[in-house]
Amino acid sequence: MGDWWTPPMMPDPGLGIREFSSVSHIDESPSRHRSPPATRASETNSKHSYSVLTAFCTEENIPQCVAYVNQEAAALGLCGVCVEARGAGPSLGAASALNLLYELLQLQRRGQRTLHDLETQQLKNNSDLEHLQHNNSRLKDQLEHTRRENSGLHEGERQLQLKIRTLQRYLKSEKEEVQKLQSIIASRATQYNHDAKRKERESAKLKERLNQLLVDKRDKRLAIEVANCVGRADGKRSLWKTSKMEARHEGEMYKALLSDYEGRHQVLLQENAELKKLLQLMKKDMVSMLSPRKTTRAHMPAEDSLEQAGSEPDDELCEGSRDPLEQMCEQAREQLANSIRLQWRRLKSHMQRLDSQVSLAASREQEEVISRREHEEAITHMKMELQQCTEFIQTQQQLLQQQLSLPCDEETAALLNDGYLLEEKERLKEEWSLFHEQKKNFEMERKNFTEAAIRLGHERKAFEEDRALWLKTQFLNMAPFVGHRRHATSESRRALTIGAQSGAKVPSSPALSCTSASHTGLSTPTSDPMTLPSTAELYRTLQLIPDSRSQGRCASNSFQSGATMTKSQLRDSCTDCSIFSVVRDGNSAS
Amino acid sequence: MNFSEVFKQSNQLCKVSPDGKYLATCVQYRLVVRDVNTLQILQLYTCLDQVASMEWSSDSLFILCAMYKRGLVQVWSLEQPDWHCKIDEGSIGLVSSRWSPDGRHILNTTEFHLRVTVWSLCNKSVSYIKYPKACQKGMDFSADGRYMALAERRDCKDYISVFVCDDWHLLRHFETDTQDLAGVEWSPNGCVLAAWDSCLEYKMLLYSLDGRLLSTYSAYEWSLGIKSVAWSPSSQFLAIGSYDEKVRILNHITWKKLTEFEHHPTITNSKAVVFKEVEKRPVIPTEDLSIQQIAMESSLFDIQSKYEIPPLPVQVPVVKPDPDRANPKIGISAIAFSVDNRYLATKNGGFQVQSLFWHCSGDSVVLLGKDQLCLCYMATDEEK
């Protein structure tokens, strides 16, 4: 019955179920299916004290309560109660109720017991837990302790290992040394043995020889046989051995030694002088390096003293350098060395000061000294300037190169110009050629023209001849009219002159006037019949140019005559001029 | 290179005269003198026995032929072929014979180094020098020929005697602080005498001409010490080659070590140029020039060979010597300064180079091996 019995939970205080648990300490969880009247009842009775019975069950809701109790009992696996109807109202069956009660009590007791058991159990468990925890911590400490011990032991072991290794190495080296020594001993021993054997052999030979000599007793005298004495190598005669000679030998020996020493001495002196010079130079350099700082170090009295101390050996040394003997002096050397050391120390201190200054670069009081930052800035600035200058130079170079190459362009420009000029020249040439062509054409035309004119002249001449012939014939035909003849001749003369004039003047009337004109025209140049007539004369003959002689008179006549020139007039004029033409022809013909 | 025809010689006795005009060779008991240019035989001399040693006099007028077995020395004249001279040491025997620098005295070292006999050709006189030491280089003449230093040993102590070569007057006689004096050498300027101990102890003593001890130098103890010594031509440096394969240079002012050179079998110096002779056989000689050390290994080569330059680092093939033998073939056995003081040639190890000489112009080195001759030219770079 108890396995599915769950321990009761604390009820929700909002519903006030605690009121029911004052007697048994068992709180029933509020179930949803509780009848509303019970809740209502509980709610209404929540203000009262913990009288359960009155709150849960009243006279009115006994059956409900019973039902509920039965329900709960059934849920718990207990028998239910029954309701008996009695006089005052429904009441519970005492036996069943008591049974239920009893069973509930049993349940409760059992529950108590289990609770008790559990509590004891829990106590035990707690104590066990404590005990275990205690043990755990103890063991942990122990473990920690053992671990530390372990590491310590490891450490010790490692050190011992190292020691072992070093000892082994040492042992190895010792062994090697021992071996080496043994080998040395061995080699020495062999050498000794070898030498000893050699000596022994030699002594044996000696003994043998001695024996031989003693036995032989044949004293072979040592002797030299020379055919003739040879002169000394240097040609001088040999000298007797005297003490003077010995002294001389000694002297020579010492001389040789001395000369060698002196040579070496000179070399060393030279080297020494060079080194000294070098040191002095170094000193000077150092002094010069440090001297610009000296002026700014007015507030450093210690340095001044050092300066003074330093200047003294300088002076002394200056004196010393003049006198070479003093250079050899130990004092002078020491002084030089000391001064160098001094300068070096000063240089070092200066460098240290500079370093400290660099570290205190922010302070204003060191304006006279260029701080490192400023120095760097100056350097960067200078570098930039340098870069700029180089760039500038480069650009300049480029421009210069361009400039140098420009003449080439100018040349090309010149060439181009020349090209243009050439173009113009060629155009000019073309024009000239055109002009020449035109000239030639013109000349040709003129020639043609002159030829035509000549031809015309010839034709006119021919015409004139024909006319003259015709006039002659006419004249001959008109022979009976003699009186007229003179008149006619005068007329013809007049007509001739007129005709001539008119012929000279009328360029349009082609043959007749031309012939007359040509006659007149021809008359003038017939002195030379081979030459062509000039252009002006040609024009004059062709009446293109007005004749100056007959310009005034015949201007009016020319047109009139030209316009009204008829054959008859021509006949008349021809008769007149036939004589002339005959004469002229005769002239012209001749 | 052009080679003449092969001439016979015995005992490697073939020497050019100091003036460079004649070539003298010994064939058994004959001495043949040829003209250097034409190689025509000019003189032919016959000695009494097989010639063991032959030497030109300094003025190229006389030739000395020594026959050790018979204790005889014969001197021949070039100018007068009829002239003869015979020196008989008698029963005392002969171990070595040499000219004096003036070319008129002969110094004979008798057997067992009992004494040095000085024979004069000018006046037939004899001088004796007692107790000479039998060591690597017991006798040395100064460069100008005026003094002679002789190592002596009396009563288990080493001494050095300095003689004037003019009349063999004893100038100085002093004891040296050595265990076993191995050699003496004059500096080229004649003012300093270097004396060194045997290889069992590294000790170099420097004496001035008048016998004062100038300085002592010892690089290390116990290991085998000095093997070879060379002065620089200017007398400024003294090169000491030792058995530890290092060359140490001392300076003449303080007589302290100036520098030391190692002879590592692997050449890693970037300035070194290694010339490797490549030929059909796998044994290869190498040379490196243009730094101040030369290690050379000679080899057997065929007619065809050429040099190639291998890239660094180069491992020089080294034959490990037998350490149990006395006088092992390790260490610097030959040192030679060039004439202009610029270069130092050294031979380390057991390479079969018998002699190492610089040309007087200072730009080439001749290396003489057992079977080969090597001529190395150094091309000097112009300082830029």
Side-chain angles (χ1 to χ4, degrees):
Chain A
M1 178 109 60
D3 48 357
W4 50 269
W5 182 80
T6 54
M9 289 191 299
M10 289 302 290
D12 194 11
L15 288 169
I17 304 302
R18 212 177 271 228
E19 298 158 1
F20 300 119
S21 67
S22 63
V23 175
S24 63
H25 298 289
I26 294 168
D27 298 322
E28 300 211 18
S29 56
S31 50
R32 297 245 168 87
H33 61 270
R34 192 173 287 179
S35 52
T39 54
R40 255 189 279 124
S42 67
E43 277 175 348
T44 52
N45 293 330
S46 62
K47 294 179 191 109
H48 296 305
S49 61
Y50 299 101
S51 54
V52 179
L53 291 167
T54 52
F56 171 62
C57 180
T58 56
E59 297 294 330
E60 291 85 24
N61 62 354
I62 284 181
Q64 288 99 343
C65 295
V66 166
Y68 173 71
V69 165
N70 283 341
Q71 213 176 31
E72 291 293 318
L76 287 171
L78 304 166
C79 58
V81 293
C82 55
V83 178
E84 282 176 16
R86 288 248 182 100
S91 59
L92 291 166
S96 58
L98 282 169
N99 278 334
L100 182 63
L101 194 62
Y102 176 71
E103 278 171 6
L104 284 170
L105 281 173
Q106 288 290 327
L107 264 176
Q108 206 261 344
R109 204 163 282 157
R110 242 181 275 137
Q112 286 283 73
R113 227 182 293 132
T114 49
L115 183 66
H116 184 73
D117 287 338
L118 284 171
E119 277 178 355
T120 52
Q121 190 72 34
Q122 192 176 14
L123 277 171
K124 267 194 221 160
N125 284 341
N126 278 342
S127 68
D128 279 343
L129 189 68
E130 265 181 45
H131 178 70
L132 285 170
Q133 274 177 353
H134 184 70
N135 268 356
N136 196 19
S137 61
R138 189 173 56 82
L139 287 169
K140 268 192 189 153
D141 288 338
Q142 212 175 20
L143 183 69
E144 200 56 48
H145 183 68
T146 49
R147 274 217 189 106
R148 255 183 266 127
E149 266 184 42
N150 198 18
S151 60
L153 288 170
H154 270 295
E155 192 62 38
E157 195 188 319
R158 200 168 54 83
Q159 280 177 357
L160 287 171
Q161 290 271 19
L162 276 171
K163 233 187 194 176
I164 283 169
R165 251 180 262 136
T166 50
L167 284 171
Q168 277 178 344
R169 250 183 274 136
Y170 184 62
L171 182 69
K172 209 164 53 163
S173 65
E174 289 292 315
K175 276 192 184 158
E176 277 172 17
E177 208 173 310
V178 162
Q179 269 183 356
K180 204 170 64 145
L181 286 169
Q182 279 180 342
S183 68
I184 286 168
I185 289 168
S187 64
R188 285 179 81 91
T190 51
Q191 194 73 23
Y192 277 130
N193 288 336
H194 176 81
D195 285 338
K197 276 191 196 131
R198 192 160 47 91
K199 290 217 157 62
E200 212 182 304
R201 265 182 251 129
E202 210 174 310
S203 75
K205 259 197 273 174
L206 201 63
K207 277 186 206 162
E208 205 188 294
R209 198 67 204 280
L210 188 65
N211 268 337
Q212 204 186 28
L213 282 170
L214 288 171
V215 162
D216 277 345
K217 289 229 173 132
R218 263 186 297 135
D219 209 0
K220 274 197 280 178
R221 301 230 124 234
L222 49 87
I224 177 166
E225 286 173 31
V226 191
N228 52 312
C229 291
V230 188
R232 272 165 62 109
D234 48 2
K236 290 191 221 154
R237 271 201 277 170
S238 58
L239 302 158
W240 291 103
K241 242 193 211 180
T242 54
S243 55
K244 210 167 52 167
M245 286 298 294
E246 288 176 22
R248 198 161 68 93
H249 286 311
E250 291 271 322
E252 275 175 16
M253 176 189 80
Y254 281 121
K255 246 187 268 179
L257 269 175
L258 273 171
S259 60
D260 176 62
Y261 278 133
E262 280 197 3
R264 238 192 284 170
H265 186 69
Q266 287 296 322
V267 165
L268 285 170
L269 260 180
Q270 229 177 8
E271 213 179 304
N272 215 14
E274 276 171 29
L275 286 170
K276 262 206 195 129
K277 242 188 286 177
L278 181 68
L279 275 173
Q280 299 234 353
L281 260 170
M282 271 171 62
K283 195 170 74 102
K284 243 184 277 178
D285 281 339
M286 278 198 268
V287 165
S288 62
M289 257 206 295
L290 291 166
S291 56
R293 312 277 181 268
K294 278 189 213 169
T295 54
T296 61
R297 294 267 147 249
H299 59 280
M300 290 264 197
E303 246 194 40
D304 291 336
S305 65
L306 281 171
E307 276 174 44
Q308 283 185 357
S311 62
E312 282 169 15
D314 291 350
D315 298 331
E316 289 182 19
L317 270 162
C318 287
E319 290 171 7
S321 62
R322 283 178 231 130
D323 194 351
L325 281 171
E326 277 195 38
Q327 277 185 349
M328 299 299 299
C329 195
E330 185 78 21
Q331 241 183 352
R333 210 171 58 236
E334 270 182 33
Q335 273 171 6
L336 176 63
N338 285 335
S339 66
I340 290 270
R341 266 185 234 122
L342 201 76
Q343 296 296 330
W344 188 249
R345 246 179 278 138
R346 279 164 68 188
L347 191 69
K348 265 203 292 190
S349 64
H350 182 68
M351 288 303 295
Q352 282 169 8
R353 240 180 291 123
L354 283 174
D355 284 337
S356 62
Q357 275 170 20
V358 162
S359 62
L360 301 166
S363 61
R364 285 290 161 204
E365 43 198 33
Q366 280 131 13
E367 276 173 5
E368 64 267 21
V369 179
I370 302 167
S371 67
R372 184 177 285 179
R373 192 162 31 85
E374 285 173 28
H375 180 66
E376 281 171 9
E377 280 174 19
I379 280 178
T380 49
H381 182 65
M382 273 157 64
K383 275 186 190 166
M384 272 173 62
E385 265 186 57
L386 184 75
Q387 211 177 2
Q388 282 171 8
C389 287
T390 49
E391 281 172 18
F392 188 59
I393 287 167
Q394 275 178 15
T395 49
Q396 286 235 335
Q397 261 188 348
Q398 281 175 14
L399 286 168
L400 196 71
Q401 276 182 5
Q402 277 177 17
Q403 281 271 341
L404 287 167
S405 61
L406 264 174
C408 303
D409 290 335
E410 275 180 11
E411 283 174 16
T412 57
L415 280 168
L416 284 167
N417 286 344
D418 283 344
Y420 297 137
L421 283 169
L422 273 169
E423 273 187 46
E424 283 188 27
K425 274 185 201 167
E426 290 202 359
R427 248 184 282 127
L428 202 66
K429 272 184 201 163
E430 282 170 26
E431 284 182 16
W432 263 102
S433 60
L434 264 167
F435 178 73
H436 281 302
E437 274 182 40
Q438 281 177 7
K439 200 173 165 187
K440 270 185 228 160
N441 293 337
F442 188 72
E443 287 288 327
M444 271 180 69
E445 280 182 23
R446 196 205 278 182
K447 226 193 304 179
N448 293 337
F449 209 42
T450 46
E451 283 177 11
I454 290 163
R455 256 185 281 119
L456 191 64
H458 283 302
E459 283 177 19
R460 193 184 270 185
K461 203 173 68 182
F463 177 73
E464 285 290 328
E465 282 177 12
D466 285 345
R467 201 171 76 141
L469 266 168
W470 191 76
L471 278 172
K472 201 166 85 176
T473 51
Q474 280 287 326
F475 182 69
L476 288 171
N477 291 337
M478 290 183 351
F481 307 97
V482 176
H484 284 281
R485 220 195 311 157
R486 278 198 215 121
H487 185 66
T489 51
S490 64
E491 275 183 17
S492 68
R493 243 188 261 126
R494 265 194 272 118
L496 191 67
T497 53
I498 289 166
Q501 287 167 2
S502 64
K505 298 305 168 213
V506 177
S508 57
S509 60
L512 300 161
S513 60
C514 278
T515 49
S516 63
S518 69
H519 278 306
T520 50
L522 282 167
S523 63
T524 44
T526 46
S527 59
D528 192 7
M530 296 307 287
T531 55
L532 283 164
S534 68
T535 315
E537 286 157 36
L538 186 68
Y539 286 153
R540 232 179 277 126
T541 50
L542 292 170
Q543 290 179 353
L544 292 165
I545 299 169
D547 198 1
S548 54
R549 281 178 290 167
S550 56
Q551 193 169 3
R553 276 183 286 140
C554 304
S556 57
N557 288 335
S558 66
F559 289 109
Q560 284 174 11
S561 58
T564 57
M565 187 65 78
T566 58
K567 197 95 173 177
S568 59
Q569 280 180 343
L570 205 64
R571 219 184 300 138
D572 290 340
S573 61
C574 281
T575 51
D576 286 340
C577 68
S578 64
I579 301 161
F580 287 102
S581 66
V582 167
V583 173
R584 242 181 276 121
D585 282 342
N587 285 340
S588 66
S590 67
Chain B
M1 271 187 109
N2 291 325
F3 293 97
S4 69
E5 61 181 89
V6 177
F7 297 117
K8 267 202 225 170
Q9 54 89 35
S10 61
N11 279 345
Q12 281 142 27
L13 294 171
C14 171
K15 293 204 178 122
V16 179
S17 67
D19 61 359
K21 288 189 201 156
Y22 310 104
L23 173 72
T25 48
C26 284
V27 187
Q28 298 294 327
Y29 57 90
R30 281 213 193 89
L31 175 69
V32 183
V33 179
R34 291 169 201 273
D35 180 59
V36 149
N37 296 319
T38 62
L39 295 173
Q40 298 277 348
I41 296 179
L42 295 170
Q43 304 282 358
L44 190 65
Y45 305 102
T46 311
C47 298
L48 296 168
D49 196 9
Q50 184 172 20
V51 176
S53 149
M54 185 258 295
E55 195 179 337
W56 281 91
S57 70
S58 55
D59 51 4
S60 307
L61 293 174
F62 299 99
I63 304 176
L64 174 155
C65 298
M67 291 143 271
Y68 297 146
K69 279 194 221 143
R70 286 184 60 174
L72 284 171
V73 175
Q74 277 187 288
V75 187
W76 304 102
S77 163
L78 274 184
E79 286 178 321
Q80 303 170 26
D82 304 329
W83 187 87
H84 62 274
C85 171
K86 188 173 79 163
I87 298 169
D88 191 323
E89 283 291 336
S91 45
I92 204 159
L94 188 64
V95 161
S96 89
S97 176
R98 61 186 293 178
W99 283 103
S100 70
D102 62 355
R104 294 291 177 272
H105 294 86
I106 293 171
L107 291 103
N108 287 341
T109 313
T110 62
E111 213 168 349
F112 310 114
H113 282 82
L114 285 176
R115 64 162 187 250
V116 172
T117 326
V118 185
W119 298 94
S120 167
L121 293 178
C122 305
N123 49 18
K124 297 197 220 174
S125 64
V126 185
S127 308
Y128 302 106
I129 305 171
K130 281 167 91 173
Y131 310 116
K133 183 145 188 207
C135 53
Q136 182 190 7
K137 193 175 179 185
M139 191 193 292
D140 193 36
F141 290 97
S142 63
D144 51 4
R146 288 166 71 173
Y147 303 105
M148 179 183 88
L150 186 70
E152 296 178 5
R153 189 155 180 110
R154 287 169 217 250
D155 300 328
C156 309
K157 282 201 251 227
D158 291 313
Y159 295 89
I160 290 178
S161 297
V162 180
F163 293 93
V164 182
C165 292
D166 266 354
D167 53 2
W168 305 104
H169 159 68
L170 176 67
L171 194 65
R172 283 287 185 277
H173 179 81
F174 48 91
E175 189 182 338
T176 61
D177 185 19
T178 54
Q179 294 284 341
D180 185 10
L181 184 63
V184 290
E185 186 156 344
W186 286 102
S187 67
N189 63 1
C191 296
V192 182
L193 182 69
W196 59 92
D197 214 334
S198 74
C199 58
L200 288 170
E201 191 165 338
Y202 195 124
K203 201 167 199 179
M204 171 67 77
L205 296 156
L206 291 137
Y207 291 95
S208 98
L209 176 59
D210 57 346
R212 289 175 298 120
L213 175 67
L214 293 171
S215 174
T216 313
Y217 177 71
S218 172
Y220 52 81
E221 282 188 291
W222 307 124
S223 284
L224 292 178
I226 299 173
K227 193 165 183 183
S228 57
V229 171
W231 281 97
S232 77
S234 62
S235 310
Q236 284 173 318
F237 307 113
L238 177 65
I240 307 174
S242 49
Y243 279 90
D244 66 341
E245 302 188 337
K246 284 188 193 166
V247 176
R248 290 176 180 85
I249 313 262
L250 306 184
N251 77 83
H252 73 303
I253 298 175
T254 60
W255 301 112
K256 297 262 182 294
K257 182 180 84 172
L258 201 64
T259 175
E260 69 178 39
F261 296 116
E262 288 195 5
H263 291 75
H264 206 263
T266 309
I267 297 166
T268 50
N269 189 341
S270 56
K271 287 194 258 177
V273 179
V274 179
F275 289 90
K276 198 166 165 180
E277 188 173 6
V278 175
E279 30 156 288
K280 289 167 199 168
R281 289 199 223 171
V283 180
I284 311 154
T286 61
E287 287 168 358
D288 54 292
L289 302 169
S290 81
I291 55 164
Q292 284 182 13
Q293 59 185 37
I294 293 180
M296 196 214 118
E297 175 186 334
S298 69
S299 78
L300 315 164
F301 60 78
D302 287 336
I303 300 160
Q304 295 283 340
S305 70
K306 64 174 170 69
Y307 287 95
E308 65 173 30
I309 300 177
L312 293 168
V314 173
Q315 188 80 20
V316 175
V318 175
V319 175
K320 268 212 109 57
D322 186 7
D324 293 333
R325 290 192 59 192
N327 296 321
K329 281 198 183 2
I330 53 170
I332 315 295
S333 46
I335 313 178
F337 274 96
S338 74
V339 174
D340 54 2
N341 278 319
R342 288 182 74 191
Y343 303 107
L344 178 69
T346 59
K347 186 201 114 178
N348 179 34
F351 302 118
Q352 289 166 19
V353 172
Q354 285 181 340
S355 62
L356 185 66
F357 282 107
W358 285 88
H359 190 265
C360 51
S361 63
D363 64 352
S364 53
V365 180
V366 178
L367 300 148
L368 194 68
K370 202 170 74 147
D371 301 323
Q372 297 90 36
L373 170 78
C374 183
L375 201 62
C376 316
Y377 280 99
M378 316 241 304
T380 49
D381 285 333
E382 294 296 320
E383 293 291 333
K384 283 175 192 160

